[in-house]
Amino acid sequence: MFTLAQARHLLATLRPRVDELIVLRADLAELRADLADGGASPHGGLPEIKALEARIYGIIDELGEQDIQVKGYAPVLLDFAGEREGRPVLWCWLEGDGEISWYHRLECGFAGRRRL
């Protein structure tokens, strides 16, 4: 369980890794697009795809080891278990958000997302 302040601090601490994930995701998408067209890519080939995937999943695992729930990576969607007004919630961060400014009740999911 994270307080909102703890979740915000952890996100700020891990933000360079999240930013790296976003760059790797874009590199992987470009490489796949190049190769799908049947051509070559300046980014490499199948070995580079596998390496990028391994690095992406490594970061996702690293976030999970911090008890962060990775709900998506395109866009990146992270949830941090917490409590608000005596009720279990997930502090919710979506790629593009400056900081954690949203939450949702466990049973409502992303559709129940509310501003803090």
Side-chain angles (χ1 to χ4, degrees):
M1 294 283 278
F2 296 96
T3 66
L4 178 57
Q6 290 169 330
R8 284 177 170 163
H9 176 74
L10 183 56
L11 177 62
T13 301
L14 293 171
R15 191 60 191 267
R17 294 296 281 161
V18 173
D19 291 343
E20 181 181 354
L21 173 64
I22 293 166
V23 170
L24 292 170
R25 180 192 69 207
D27 290 348
L28 179 60
E30 244 180 66
L31 178 53
R32 283 183 173 159
D34 287 348
L35 297 179
D37 289 342
S41 173
H43 299 293
L46 184 58
E48 287 73 22
I49 286 177
K50 294 300 179 190
L52 286 167
E53 289 172 342
R55 290 176 63 195
I56 288 168
Y57 290 119
I59 293 172
I60 291 171
D61 288 346
E62 193 178 312
L63 296 172
E65 289 168 3
Q66 299 288 325
D67 293 325
I68 299 170
Q69 299 174 29
V70 180
K71 299 291 180 78
Y73 72 98
V76 178
L77 176 59
L78 306 176
D79 282 341
F80 303 74
E83 187 175 281
R84 180 179 166 93
E85 299 172 355
R87 183 176 290 224
V89 298
L90 294 171
W91 309 118
C92 186
W93 181 84
L94 179 63
E95 183 179 327
D97 292 346
E99 67 175 357
I100 298 172
S101 302
W102 299 83
Y103 76 98
H104 57 82
R105 291 177 20 193
L106 299 180
E107 66 273 15
C108 295
F110 188 83
R113 208 171 171 235
R114 295 182 179 275
R115 268 209 185 275
L116 291 166

